[in-house]
């Protein structure tokens, strides 16, 4: 057994749960303290229900199973009602095409579930307020009907009512919190990314549009609560990128390359890089090492190396690499010395460099933005 495994085995369960909850801060993969409390409440309630059913005068597997199913049914009902009460609303979009730009067809959000949620919540609240005596009477009958399934223990009717009410309330809170904390964040992030993709298409920036759509798809995948992917390092990302370079060009490959850049940017959150590390990485001179180095510079401008960026613009291995080199240069433009600004301006205005982005709006727009900030021109 390794040292890490031994440390994990000696760790108290609550500390292990806490470490799991704070391991990854990305939405959808982090088990927050709120969900930890809800999970503890559910497990505690199930243990109490099983203990009551298993210690009665006529305890049996049938009694225990029936007790658990009653609890699960109440929990599921509560979760469903909680989600209906907490379904976030979609706000009407305010994006308008600029004058002179064609209208780009889009897909609107389906609000059927929101309307159903609104109707049902109003009906449930109205019925609860006007039919409270009838609800109280029917609930008592339900508890009496469920009591035999819990065995022959004392106070089984009261315990049946406690199980139903407890798990319904816990389920309601869990469903409501999930809808408010998870679905609302997911919907807002996805809508914002799709709007960004739409605007990028109108501006003639297909790379940004495709990257935004890819990120929107990733946000949707987070709703499944899948386990976080195994952490990767620079070597893995370099190898992945180099393999992608051997595949046919297209939007799919560009999206996959953009995903590698995104993962490389996140490495600065977990690994201590220095500017020298990034320069050495760039100087390895493979397609992947240069892209990963540029991505690290984008993530933390303190790691940016101007000679490397200038080299990637002048002698880019691909359009994708030059785009990210221009991105870093755009971020650095205001902090460069006068000599560095002059070198960058001269590079961007050189015909052999400008010819590389002929017909590519995304790179030409970036270059024009840099020149404007440097005080030059791209004419």
């Amino acid at each position: 057994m390794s040292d890490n495994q031994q440390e994990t085995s000696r760790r108290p369960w609550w500390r292990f749960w806490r470490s799991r909850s704070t391991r990854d801060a990305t939405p959808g993969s982090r088990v927050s303290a709120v969900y930890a409390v809800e999970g503890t409440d559910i497990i505690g309630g199930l243990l109490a229900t099983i203990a009551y059913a298993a210690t009665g005068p006529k305890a049996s597997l049938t009694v225990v199973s029936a007790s658990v199913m009653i609890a699960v049914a109440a929990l599921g009902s509560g979760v469903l009602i909680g989600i209906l009460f907490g379904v976030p609303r979609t706000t009407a979009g305010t994006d308008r095409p600029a004058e002179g730009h064609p209208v780009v067809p889009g897909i609107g959000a389906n609000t059927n579930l929101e309307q159903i949620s609104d109707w049902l919540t109003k009906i449930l609240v109205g019925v609860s307020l006007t039919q409270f005596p009838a609800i109280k009477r029917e609930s008592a009958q339900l508890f009496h009907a469920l009591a035999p399934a819990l065995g022959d223990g004392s106070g089984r009717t009261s315990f049946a009512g406690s199980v139903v009410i407890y798990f319904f309330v816990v389920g309601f809170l869990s469903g409501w919190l999930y809808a408010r904390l998870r679905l609302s964040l997911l919907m807002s992030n996805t809508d914002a990314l799709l709007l960004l993709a739409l605007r990028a298409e109108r501006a003639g920036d297909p790379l940004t549009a495709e990257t935004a759509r890819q990120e929107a798809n990733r946000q949707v995948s987070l709703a499944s609560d899948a386990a976080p992917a195994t952490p990767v390092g620079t070597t893995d990302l370099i190898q992945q990128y180099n393999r992608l370079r051997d595949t046919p060009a297209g939007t799919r490959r560009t999206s996959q390359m953009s995903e590698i850049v995104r993962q490389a940017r996140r490495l600065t959150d977990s690994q201590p890089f220095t500017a020298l590390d990034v320069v050495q990485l760039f100087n390895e001179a493979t397609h992947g090492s240069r892209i990963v180095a540029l991505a690290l510079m984008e993530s933390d401008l303190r790691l940016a190396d101007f000679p490397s960026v200038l080299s990637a613009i002048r002698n880019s291995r691909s359009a994708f690499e030059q785009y990210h080199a221009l991105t870093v240069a755009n971020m650095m433009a205001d902090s460069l010395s006068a000599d560095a600004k002059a070198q960058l301006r001269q590079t961007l205005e050189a015909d052999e460099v400008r010819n590389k982005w002929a017909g590519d709006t995304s790179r030409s727009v970036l270059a024009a933005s840099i020149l404007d900030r440097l005080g030059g021109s791209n004419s």
Side-chain angles (χ1 to χ4, degrees), residues 1-340:
M1 183 180 294
S2 66
D3 293 339
N4 290 338
Q5 291 173 329
Q6 291 177 355
E7 181 182 355
T8 301
S9 65
R10 295 193 300 265
R11 187 183 305 167
W13 69 269
W14 61 87
R15 292 185 181 178
F16 175 76
W17 181 261
R18 181 180 178 185
S19 67
R20 294 270 303 175
S21 68
T22 57
R23 182 176 301 172
D24 188 358
T26 58
S29 61
R30 177 181 179 180
V31 182
S32 67
V34 174
Y35 295 119
V37 171
E38 295 293 335
T40 303
D41 290 341
I42 293 172
I43 293 173
L46 286 174
L47 291 177
T49 302
I50 293 172
Y52 178 88
T55 56
K58 296 183 179 180
S60 66
L61 184 59
T62 301
V63 172
V64 173
S65 300
S67 303
V68 172
M69 285 307 300
I70 291 172
V72 172
L75 179 68
S77 301
V79 169
L80 177 60
I81 300 300
I83 290 177
L84 289 176
F85 272 79
V87 168
R89 296 176 180 272
T90 301
T91 56
T94 58
D95 189 43
R96 296 285 188 275
E99 185 176 354
H101 288 266
V103 177
V104 180
I107 299 177
N110 190 324
T111 60
N112 289 343
L113 181 59
E114 298 171 26
Q115 295 175 13
I116 293 173
S117 171
D118 188 45
W119 296 335
L120 287 178
T121 51
K122 291 177 180 178
I123 291 172
L124 289 173
V125 172
V127 170
S128 299
L129 293 176
T130 59
Q131 302 295 324
F132 185 77
I135 293 174
K136 181 179 178 181
R137 182 177 60 255
E138 295 298 328
S139 297
Q141 293 179 3
L142 174 64
F143 301 155
H144 280 287
L146 294 176
L150 298 177
D152 294 331
S154 60
R156 58 182 183 174
T157 301
S158 299
F159 191 78
S162 300
V163 169
V164 172
I165 295 174
Y166 176 84
F167 280 99
F168 182 84
V169 171
V170 172
F172 177 86
L173 292 176
S174 299
W176 187 84
L177 288 171
Y178 179 85
R180 297 298 297 169
L181 300 181
R182 187 69 57 84
L183 291 181
S184 59
L185 179 62
L186 174 67
M187 290 174 63
S188 61
N189 286 350
T190 304
D191 288 345
L193 288 166
L194 292 176
L195 181 59
L196 174 62
L198 181 63
R199 289 175 173 171
E201 279 189 348
R202 292 173 179 172
D205 188 353
L207 182 59
T208 299
E210 185 62 31
T211 302
R213 288 196 187 93
Q214 184 73 13
E215 182 65 15
N217 291 333
R218 189 185 72 85
Q219 288 288 330
V220 172
S221 69
L222 292 176
S224 63
D225 269 339
T230 303
V232 295
T234 55
T235 302
D236 299 313
L237 295 176
I238 290 170
Q239 292 175 351
Q240 291 179 33
Y241 186 87
N242 288 335
R243 286 195 295 267
L244 278 176
R245 291 294 307 170
D246 297 329
T247 62
T251 56
R252 179 178 177 83
R253 189 180 75 165
T254 301
S255 298
Q256 293 172 330
M257 290 179 175
S258 299
E259 174 63 16
I260 290 175
V261 170
R262 185 191 65 80
Q263 293 185 39
R265 290 173 186 154
R266 293 182 60 188
L267 290 178
T268 58
D269 296 332
S270 58
Q271 300 182 30
F273 290 96
T274 65
L276 181 59
D277 294 332
V278 177
V279 172
Q280 291 175 343
L281 190 64
F282 185 85
N283 290 336
E284 289 181 10
T286 66
H287 287 283
S289 64
R290 288 164 68 97
I291 281 293
V292 171
L294 290 171
L296 293 173
M297 295 181 199
E298 291 179 28
S299 177
D300 187 349
L301 204 55
R302 293 172 297 181
L303 303 176
D305 177 65
F306 179 70
S308 299
V309 174
L310 204 61
S311 173
I313 295 174
R314 288 174 177 168
N315 309 305
S316 57
R317 305 287 183 87
S318 64
F320 189 78
E321 177 184 304
Q322 190 178 54
Y323 173 83
H324 285 282
L326 289 168
T327 299
V328 180
N330 192 38
M331 297 169 63
M332 299 177 66
D334 293 333
S335 60
L336 293 176
S337 64
D339 290 340

